[in-house]
Amino acid sequence: MRSTFAMPREELLFGLLISSVHAGQHLFLRLFPPLIPILVIDLEASLWQLGLLVSVYMFAGGLFQAPMGVLSDRYDRQYLLVPAFLAMGIGYLIFVLAPTIGAGLPSLSVAGHVFDGTYQVMALGMFAAGVGYSVIHPVGYPLISANVAVENKGKVLGMWGSASKVGDAIAPLLVGVFILVLAWEWILIGVSLFGFGFAALLYVAFSRDAYETRPPSIADDETDGAADGPGLAFLVPMAAIVASFFFILFAGNGLMTYTPVFVTDVYGYALSIGGLEIGPESVASFYFGVLLISGAVSQLVVGGVTDVLDHRTVLVALLGTGAIALLVLAQASLSPLVLLVVFVLLGVSLFGLNPARDALISDITPAAYEGRTFGYIWTLALVGSSVYPVIIGYLADTMGLRASFAVLAAGAVGGAACIALLYSSRIHPGAAS
């Protein structure tokens, strides 16, 4: 067990540092949605307008990952990572100051909808925060490769992935606690100040020469062919991985979007504890929480397993498990306990596979192109999969929730099939015989 999960102290410390970066990124990402019910009243804005601000954030966060990946392969990565948190902090400060800054701006009319100056400045702030968000993936993965030994990379990737779920959980918790005593503006200002402070901490941490932040030079990679650019030995297997991304995201996004309504509508479980009535929506949120927590914890375990087993095998096994669990949800009527077990399996399989997936991408990618590889993949993934909730919602409306979850299983199967192609030396010349 020690050989599977132990690592040198310096690599563990680096893993904690880089994982805190990922947690911070997700903290900023998830901060705005819990404030929407309050902003609807305070800003006298419609839900769709506030939702559009989230879309602006996500669009910038997805679109700019590709160019940030190119920059990550050319320049010292600490000079990208530190400004990323400054940008996220500045973006939310702009949002807070929007009523003052935008008061004198002319309104903008688009397709019959009017956006006043305040809203325009808020959108600018969310765009700036999204640009900061876009830096983390294309910089974080190459930093892990440069500072962690190959035999320990899976464990650190597990820490990195698990930390994102911690950030997801902290954001609504912070809002829920501080909104009791502070106005929403002060919450955003506080998080912005945290971003500035964290940027300073990262600057100090990466300026001590304890970690390698510079990208490998082209000369360093001439021996493996990187000087002439990645060839078919890279592009063909990477195409299979990108295809698997879209299949896996179809299943994962469906679960993230529709698990609460699935549990509420299909099972409608309710509890009564000491006279306290817990309705179906609250019980469904509990099952959803179990799904996410299982994904966070399992990534730590999967990361260790990834260091000793073939990454493809780990992925195929997890995706196969996820497909079976989704089919069980679609076909069977389950007791509360069995339903809980199924959601744990879904969390472990579909949300716990990230370390193996990321390690496989890193293995195939030449070091000089790792930043842009992850950047392009995440840009394609975030932008391309943005329509999935609409598609899955249409399927649920026309086929029923149960049947739509069977379609989600097809996403897991498709992802496993794409990964299985990498066992072929024709698709992946570096595949073991």
Side-chain angles (χ1 to χ4, degrees):
M1 181 67 70
R2 180 175 176 79
S3 61
T4 302
F5 296 102
M7 72 176 83
R9 181 175 180 273
E10 59 272 17
E11 293 188 356
L12 175 61
L13 292 176
F14 173 79
L16 292 172
L17 176 64
I18 199 66
S19 296
S20 71
V21 169
H22 206 195
Q25 179 205 34
H26 278 250
L27 168 64
F28 277 95
L29 172 65
R30 305 300 182 190
L31 187 67
F32 186 78
L35 290 173
I36 287 179
I38 301 166
L39 297 178
V40 166
I41 299 173
D42 279 15
L43 300 179
E44 297 182 351
S46 64
L47 281 174
W48 76 265
Q49 286 179 317
L50 294 174
L52 182 59
L53 292 175
V54 179
S55 296
V56 168
Y57 190 114
M58 293 304 302
F59 178 78
L63 184 65
F64 280 89
Q65 293 205 36
M68 291 301 175
V70 175
L71 294 177
S72 176
D73 289 334
R74 294 181 178 175
Y75 301 102
D76 192 318
R77 285 146 184 164
Q78 69 171 312
Y79 300 132
L80 296 173
L81 192 59
V82 172
F85 279 91
L86 293 177
M88 285 186 274
I90 290 171
Y92 275 113
L93 275 184
I94 292 173
F95 187 95
V96 171
L97 296 174
T100 301
I101 299 174
L105 295 178
S107 296
L108 178 66
S109 179
V110 179
H113 300 287
V114 178
F115 302 93
D116 62 17
T118 296
Y119 187 92
Q120 295 172 44
V121 176
M122 286 180 171
L124 175 64
M126 296 302 281
F127 188 88
V131 173
Y133 169 92
S134 72
V135 175
I136 306 304
H137 288 144
V139 167
Y141 289 114
L143 282 175
I144 291 173
S145 294
N147 292 280
V148 179
V150 173
E151 60 269 20
N152 295 318
K153 187 186 292 186
K155 289 184 279 290
V156 175
L157 287 172
M159 296 167 63
W160 162 271
S162 182
S164 69
K165 301 305 176 188
V166 173
D168 288 341
I170 289 176
L173 179 63
L174 285 177
V175 172
V177 171
F178 285 107
I179 201 64
L180 298 175
V181 294
L182 294 173
W184 63 266
E185 293 93 339
W186 287 109
I187 295 176
L188 293 185
I189 290 172
V191 173
S192 296
L193 294 177
F194 161 77
F196 300 151
F198 191 64
L201 174 65
L202 291 176
Y203 179 78
V204 172
F206 285 113
S207 296
R208 295 185 298 108
D209 295 327
Y211 305 118
E212 180 57 73
T213 60
R214 298 166 300 173
S217 66
I218 295 299
D220 292 336
D221 286 290
E222 285 180 353
T223 55
D224 62 13
D228 298 323
L232 291 178
F234 164 79
L235 295 175
V236 174
M238 196 55 60
I241 291 177
V242 170
S244 75
F245 249 83
F246 283 101
F247 279 113
I248 295 168
L249 285 173
F250 182 75
N253 285 1
L255 277 173
M256 285 288 290
T257 305
Y258 294 108
T259 287
V261 70
F262 177 87
V263 177
T264 300
D265 289 359
V266 175
Y267 288 95
Y269 291 138
L271 296 173
S272 179
I273 302 176
L276 176 64
E277 298 295 330
I278 302 176
E281 294 80 6
S282 297
V283 174
S285 295
F286 167 75
Y287 279 100
F288 186 48
V290 167
L291 176 73
L292 296 179
I293 292 171
S294 299
V297 174
S298 65
Q299 288 192 56
L300 298 174
V301 179
V302 172
V305 172
T306 296
D307 286 331
V308 295
L309 295 180
D310 188 303
H311 306 150
R312 298 163 298 182
T313 303
V314 174
L315 285 170
V316 170
L318 290 174
L319 288 167
T321 301
I324 293 171
L326 285 168
L327 287 174
V328 169
L329 282 182
Q331 301 296 327
S333 294
L334 308 175
S335 67
L337 180 59
V338 175
L339 184 64
L340 184 69
V341 171
V342 171
F343 275 114
V344 168
L345 287 175
L346 283 170
V348 169
S349 57
L350 295 183
F351 295 155
L353 55 76
N354 294 354
R357 177 203 66 196
D358 297 338
L360 181 60
I361 295 171
S362 184
D363 284 350
I364 295 173
T365 306
Y369 296 93
E370 191 167 11
R372 72 195 74 180
T373 295
F374 278 103
Y376 280 115
I377 286 176
W378 279 106
T379 289
L380 288 171
L382 291 176
V383 174
S385 65
S386 61
V387 300
Y388 283 173
V390 177
I391 295 173
I392 298 165
Y394 174 78
L395 293 173
D397 286 337
T398 56
M399 302 170 58
L401 277 168
R402 277 190 182 274
S404 69
F405 270 57
V407 178
L408 296 184
V413 172
C418 291
I419 297 300
L421 291 174
L422 298 178
Y423 285 104
S424 168
S425 59
R426 297 180 62 184
I427 301 296
H428 179 23
S433 57

